[in-house]
Amino acid sequence: MEPNATLTALRDFCAERLGADLADRFVRLARPGFALTEAGPGEAAGHSRFGGRAMLEPGTAWPTCDGFPLSLLAVLDTDALAPWLDGVLPAGTGLLNFFSLDSDSEDADPAAMELSLTYDFMDPQVGRVIAARATRAVETAPPARASVFDPVPWAASPGFAFPDTYDPAWKTLDPGPDADDMARAMPDTSIHGLLTDWSERPGALDSEDIAFGRPEFPTGSSPMLPDDDDPNLYHHLLQLSGQGEWYLGGDGGWMHWSIPTEALRAGDFTRAIPTPDIW
C-alpha cells in the first residue's frame, strides 16, 4: 500500500474509535518511518545496515571527537526508502552514515570511555551524521581505535509513527472542546484508552530499530532535545536499540539521532545531533 492510501486507512481506523475530528488532529502527529529488521536474501533496503564500513565520498574526513575517531554504527540508504520520505528530505540525499563515540560496547576503547565523561550526551562532537551521494560513495575502512561492528543488512518496512508516551509533541494536540481536565492534562493516555486494537492499525511500525518516524522511549524518559518546548523544531532520524555486543549510549542502550526540521529539508546533516534516551 502506498503512503497516501495507508494514511487514509489509518485515519479511518482512528475515526471509528475517536470520531472524525479528533482522529484528524491525532493523525497529524503521525510521521512516516521504517521498521528496520535483519534482511533475508534479496530483502535489503539498498545499502541500509547496522555496522560494517562507512559509505563515504572520496576525500571525506572520518569524524572525530577531540581527535579520537567516532565509530560507524549504521548506514541508511534514503534513495531505497522513497517514496515514503517524499517531502521529508531532499530527493537524491543518498546515504546517511551514523557515527557515535562508542564508550559502552564490548569493543569500546578505554580512552573513549574516559573521553565520554567530559562531554554532554547531546554534544554534536559525540555523534555525527554524514551524507554521501550513492553514485560516489565507497566503502571506507575505519581508523585505528574506532569500534567495528559486524554488518547486518536491514530490510525496511514502511509505516507511520506516533509520539511515545512522554514525547512533548503531545503538547501540540488539541483534544477538542468536549475533553475533560484529565484528557487535556494527559492526552496520550486518554486517546490510547479509546484506540482499541491499536496494534492492528494500518501502517504500524513493529521494530525496536526505526528510521525516521518518531522515537520510542521504553525506559520512561523523553526526547533529549536542546529545546523540547517545540518538538516540531526537530525531526527524528534513527533509533537503535542496545542489543548485546551492540550496546550503545543511553538508558538500556537506546540511542537516537535527530536534526532540526529546517536543516533536514535543506539536506544539511552537519546539524544532526545525538538525542539518547536518558533519565
Side-chain angles (χ1 to χ4, degrees), residues 7-261:
L7 195 60
T8 297
L10 176 61
R11 187 178 290 108
D12 291 343
F13 175 93
C14 293
E16 292 177 0
R17 294 154 176 81
L18 302 176
D21 291 342
L22 180 55
D24 187 60
R25 292 192 296 274
F26 173 59
V27 171
R28 289 175 194 167
L29 295 178
R31 286 180 173 176
F34 299 84
L36 302 173
T37 55
E38 184 172 352
E43 293 179 343
H47 295 284
S48 299
R49 54 176 161 74
F50 174 85
R53 293 188 173 191
M55 298 287 292
L56 302 175
E57 295 187 24
T60 301
W62 191 277
T64 63
C65 176
D66 275 0
F68 191 91
L70 302 183
S71 299
L72 186 281
L73 293 181
V75 176
L76 284 182
D77 189 339
T78 67
D79 294 341
L81 302 182
W84 282 77
L85 295 179
D86 183 37
V88 175
L89 76 171
T93 294
L95 308 174
L96 298 181
N97 296 267
F98 291 82
F99 295 89
S100 182
L101 178 65
D102 176 27
S103 60
D104 293 292
S105 80
E106 292 180 349
D107 296 325
D109 189 294
M113 299 180 187
E114 184 175 348
L115 184 59
S116 69
L117 299 177
T118 66
Y119 280 89
D120 184 88
F121 292 111
M122 297 182 297
D123 194 302
Q125 293 298 313
V126 303
R128 218 75 52 82
V129 178
I130 299 180
R133 288 167 290 183
T135 55
R136 297 197 59 196
V138 294
E139 286 198 357
T140 304
R145 308 183 77 184
S147 299
V148 180
F149 300 95
D150 291 337
V152 179
W154 274 327
S157 302
F160 289 91
F162 286 85
D164 204 2
T165 302
Y166 297 99
D167 196 315
W170 285 106
K171 298 177 183 178
T172 67
L173 177 67
D174 176 7
D178 298 327
D180 57 25
D181 291 342
M182 181 62 72
R184 293 185 182 282
M186 303 179 66
D188 55 318
T189 301
S190 174
I191 285 178
H192 281 110
L194 299 172
L195 288 170
T196 56
D197 303 319
W198 180 236
S199 63
E200 304 301 319
R201 68 192 181 280
L205 296 177
D206 185 18
S207 176
E208 293 183 339
D209 297 326
I210 295 175
F212 296 94
R214 290 186 181 275
E216 296 177 356
F217 293 87
T219 65
S221 183
S222 63
M224 296 294 290
L225 297 172
D227 181 3
D228 64 3
D229 290 332
D230 184 359
N232 293 315
L233 290 176
Y234 286 84
H235 201 101
H236 185 245
L237 291 176
L238 179 65
Q239 169 178 307
L240 292 179
S241 60
Q243 300 284 347
E245 72 274 14
W246 301 356
Y247 191 91
L248 310 174
D251 283 342
W254 291 76
M255 184 65 197
H256 306 271
W257 286 263
S258 299
I259 188 172
T261 301

